[in-house]
Amino acid sequence: MKNPGLWMYSVGAAFLLSLPWMFLFPGWILLVGFVPLFFLEERLRQGGDLIQNRFVFRNHLLLCFGLWNLLSAWWLGYATVVGLLLFLFLNTFLMTAIWYLYFRFKEKNGNALSSLFLIGMWLSFEYLHFNWDMQLPGMTMGGVFGTLPEIVQWYEFTGILGGSLWILLTNILIFRFISGWQKRRELFARSLLLVVLVVVVPVFFSLFRYFSYSEEGTKFSVTVLQPNIDPYSEKFSGLSEKEQLGVILNLLDSAKSGEACMAIGPETALASFFEDSVASNQSVWELQQHLIGSKLKGILIGANTKKILGVHDLLTPTARLFPDGRHFEEYNSALFILPDTVLFYHKNILVSGVEKVPFVKVFSFLRNFYFDLGGTSGGLGEGKPQNFQPEFCSPFSPLICFESMFGEFLSSQVRQGGQWVAILTNDGWWKQSSGARLHFSYARLRAVETRRCIARSANTGISGIINQRGEVLICSLLGKQATLEGELRSNQRITFYAEHGDFIGRIAVFVSVLLLLLFWSRNLSHRNISETKIKD
């Protein structure tokens, strides 16, 4: 490396980009997070061997994005070191590839088209993480505003990809403002005005929307339970099933004097059982008994359940075999327990490497290799988006853990009639790290995107109740038992985002494909011209 001082650009960018994910600085720092990389790219273009500088830029990109991903998601290593390493490799490779292609694209195209290429490719990368078999949505840049929902109320129109677009565009404009000011100071006022408009106008619009928004719908109260059962030392070894159920029952007892119409417990709170034997399940029976003579009309709680498949049911790659030849599926489920019946919701979006093998048709030999994050060995079956429609309150959309990271998925439930949201999760796998805080902050953005109140039960925290503006009305502490009661409102209005989903991602994919074809055709044309000159 000819200039060892260049590492300051890549390392500086990595630290700026990491700060919001470590919850050391508000998300708006990302508005300048990529600026050092743009200066690095500019310096490498100013002189020297272009071919050599390509490799120098690539190496700095690997350093920057590897460090960013490690600082932001190190807590994955609590549950699985292998999973963390796979995450670091995949995300670092994809991020580096995007910026390296941008560097190459800019060699034959102007600033405007190159910037469009970078924006389109990055948004396509984030959109990909919502829609393929290796979903990694936690690093979506627009997600950093989960602690500042008051400045991104326009997510009800764009979703969090709108925030990512805002971050990328602002970084480009700020870099050009600084770089242009150094070269052509007469453009200072014009450049400054453009930066101010792009940064300030969305914030002012959001604040106006935040303070003027009036919540809609019928009021009702729910109770959120946080049993705080450690998944490493208690969940699967330290406490018996009866003792764990006792914790839930004690929390329910403490909530009986309230006004709540239903209680919400966390993911996988109950021991595994077969769904066809639910009527004789002791845990379910005891929970139903708690509803008798209580103001509570229902209990929503998580469990691993099994379902025996009929002879005509379609066998999936995750179907398991009994010794007698019958098959069954195992699910990560939400049980809606009513006094006289039990309804089931099966988790639809499963965690790659934990609950499913990605690209199972290609990697079928790995179908029995999983990281155990729920007491389940082997792949889980997939459910379908659905809502519960109780008589005592408005229809609601259940989400289990990872599903709350996907705005488009929740939008599909909202379009089916969900008027508020219940999230069941177990973030105890991440201990008291930034991972648990990140997961909670995404729930606040889901509330803004869909204008739905959210009740969130997390085994070890953070549990809470969030209103339609993304405002936290009440929440628990990490690592403490808690019973929270709060008021929600239902809402029947469908936001633009809930209606159209991640349209920004779809547009970005279309633009990226066109620009990649342009990049490929110009490279091919340049190669043909070079070969012709050599022959001549």
Side-chain angles (χ1 to χ4, degrees):
M1 190 178 298
K2 295 182 178 180
N3 188 344
L6 292 177
W7 68 267
M8 296 179 63
Y9 292 103
S10 51
V11 173
F15 276 102
L16 286 175
L17 293 167
S18 303
L19 289 174
W21 273 276
M22 295 188 290
F23 290 86
L24 298 177
F25 210 86
W28 54 260
I29 193 67
L30 257 64
L31 297 176
V32 296
F34 285 121
V35 170
L37 283 186
F38 284 116
F39 276 108
L40 173 63
E41 178 252 339
E42 184 182 57
R43 283 195 59 179
L44 289 173
R45 290 189 189 280
Q46 288 175 348
D49 184 351
L50 179 60
I51 303 299
Q52 177 64 27
N53 284 341
R54 289 175 184 172
F55 293 103
V56 173
F57 190 55
R58 181 204 61 189
N59 293 338
H60 279 283
L61 292 174
L62 288 171
L63 173 63
C64 173
F65 295 130
L67 187 58
W68 176 21
N69 283 288
L70 178 62
L71 291 174
S72 301
W74 60 268
W75 41 269
L76 287 171
Y78 277 134
T80 163
V81 174
V82 175
L84 172 61
L85 293 176
L86 289 174
F87 165 81
L88 291 176
F89 169 78
L90 181 62
N91 243 27
T92 300
F93 170 78
L94 291 174
M95 291 176 175
T96 298
I98 290 168
W99 274 77
Y100 180 74
L101 285 173
Y102 159 72
F103 188 87
R104 294 291 309 277
F105 187 90
K106 196 173 181 179
E107 292 172 3
K108 298 180 177 64
N109 299 278
N111 284 331
L113 200 60
S114 300
S115 297
L116 181 62
F117 178 83
L118 177 62
I119 291 173
M121 289 291 291
W122 191 275
L123 293 177
S124 297
F125 154 72
E126 293 191 341
Y127 182 66
L128 175 71
H129 272 324
F130 291 129
N131 292 282
W132 70 331
D133 252 17
M134 284 290 291
Q135 302 107 317
L136 298 169
M139 293 290 287
T140 305
M141 290 195 301
V144 298
F145 299 112
T147 57
L148 295 167
E150 59 271 17
I151 70 169
V152 288
Q153 293 291 299
W154 38 271
Y155 276 16
E156 67 175 312
F157 302 103
T158 69
I160 67 172
L161 288 181
S164 299
L165 174 60
W166 186 40
I167 289 169
L168 289 166
L169 184 59
T170 303
N171 271 274
I172 291 170
L173 292 176
I174 289 177
F175 162 71
R176 290 188 180 174
F177 161 67
I178 298 174
S179 180
W181 175 56
Q182 293 173 340
K183 299 172 183 176
R184 301 174 64 187
R185 299 196 178 190
E186 68 274 11
L187 298 177
F188 174 79
R190 185 190 306 173
S191 300
L192 179 61
L193 177 61
L194 186 59
V195 170
V196 170
L197 286 175
V198 171
V199 174
V200 174
V201 170
V203 173
F204 269 90
F205 173 79
S206 181
L207 290 173
F208 171 78
R209 185 68 175 145
Y210 178 78
F211 290 109
S212 64
Y213 181 82
S214 178
E215 286 199 291
E216 305 171 9
T218 306
K219 292 182 180 180
F220 59 94
S221 295
V222 299
T223 290
V224 174
L225 311 178
Q226 183 171 303
N228 194 43
I229 297 174
D230 190 290
Y232 291 101
S233 62
E234 297 176 327
K235 179 66 178 175
F236 305 110
S237 57
L239 294 179
S240 67
E241 295 175 8
K242 185 176 181 180
E243 288 173 321
Q244 293 180 47
L245 177 63
V247 174
I248 298 292
L249 296 176
N250 288 336
L251 291 175
L252 285 172
D253 285 336
S254 67
K256 276 188 173 181
S257 60
E259 298 298 322
C261 63
M262 66 177 287
I264 302 171
E267 176 189 17
T268 61
L270 303 184
S272 179
F273 65 90
F274 281 93
E275 293 181 9
D276 61 351
S277 65
V278 65
S280 60
N281 183 274
Q282 181 66 24
S283 298
V284 172
W285 181 83
E286 291 196 40
L287 290 171
Q288 287 178 316
Q289 293 303 301
H290 265 64
L291 295 176
I292 298 175
S294 168
K295 292 181 180 179
L296 295 175
K297 301 296 189 296
I299 300 170
L300 183 72
I301 197 165
N304 280 118
T305 65
K306 303 171 185 177
K307 184 178 181 180
I308 298 174
L309 302 178
V311 292
H312 300 296
D313 289 332
L314 179 67
L315 294 181
T316 68
T318 56
R320 308 181 190 201
L321 184 65
F322 282 118
D324 62 6
R326 293 180 300 162
H327 290 83
F328 70 96
E329 287 275 20
E330 187 161 357
Y331 299 99
N332 188 343
S333 303
L335 282 61
F336 191 26
I337 300 173
L338 301 170
D340 56 354
T341 189
V342 178
L343 305 175
F344 293 89
Y345 166 79
H346 299 141
K347 186 178 182 182
N348 180 260
I349 302 180
L350 304 175
V351 182
S352 297
V354 175
E355 297 171 320
K356 70 174 182 179
V357 168
F359 314 109
V360 66
K361 292 182 180 179
V362 179
F363 302 111
S364 57
F365 61 94
L366 292 175
R367 62 176 296 177
N368 293 317
F369 179 71
Y370 294 87
F371 309 113
D372 189 356
L373 290 188
T376 302
S377 176
L380 298 180
E382 294 183 5
K384 297 179 180 179
Q386 70 177 73
N387 298 315
F388 289 124
Q389 300 183 9
E391 296 179 355
F392 53 83
C393 71
S394 303
F396 67 94
S397 304
L399 296 175
I400 300 176
C401 191
F402 193 51
E403 292 177 326
S404 65
M405 305 290 281
F406 296 81
E408 197 164 46
F409 178 76
L410 175 57
S411 295
S412 68
Q413 293 172 295
V414 167
R415 290 194 299 271
Q416 293 176 20
Q419 297 181 22
W420 61 280
V421 181
I423 298 176
L424 287 62
T425 187
N426 180 9
D427 293 340
W429 299 108
W430 321 124
K431 300 187 178 182
Q432 296 190 35
S433 70
S434 55
R437 298 178 65 186
L438 176 68
H439 204 186
F440 180 77
S441 70
Y442 263 70
R444 303 179 68 180
L445 299 180
R446 298 289 89 87
V448 174
E449 289 173 339
T450 60
R451 294 302 182 188
R452 294 299 187 266
C453 292
I454 293 177
R456 186 179 195 267
S457 172
N459 173 30
T460 58
I462 303 171
S463 302
I465 293 176
I466 302 166
N467 68 13
Q468 296 170 16
R469 297 187 300 177
E471 192 175 25
V472 179
L473 302 181
I474 185 172
C475 68
S476 65
L477 297 175
L478 277 168
K480 303 289 183 181
Q481 279 192 14
T483 302
L484 308 175
E485 183 174 320
E487 189 175 80
L488 291 80
R489 284 180 179 267
S490 60
N491 187 10
Q492 299 184 48
R493 187 176 67 85
I494 306 295
T495 64
F496 184 89
Y497 174 75
E499 180 68 31
H500 299 282
D502 291 321
F503 66 94
I504 289 179
R506 293 188 285 274
I507 293 172
V509 171
F510 177 74
V511 171
S512 297
V513 170
L514 291 180
L515 292 178
L516 280 171
L517 289 173
L518 175 65
F519 174 66
W520 176 78
S521 64
R522 287 188 174 177
N523 270 354
L524 184 61
S525 175
H526 179 75
R527 186 181 304 170
N528 290 337
I529 292 173
S530 299
E531 290 176 354
T532 302
K533 289 182 177 179
I534 292 173
K535 290 179 182 179
D536 293 342

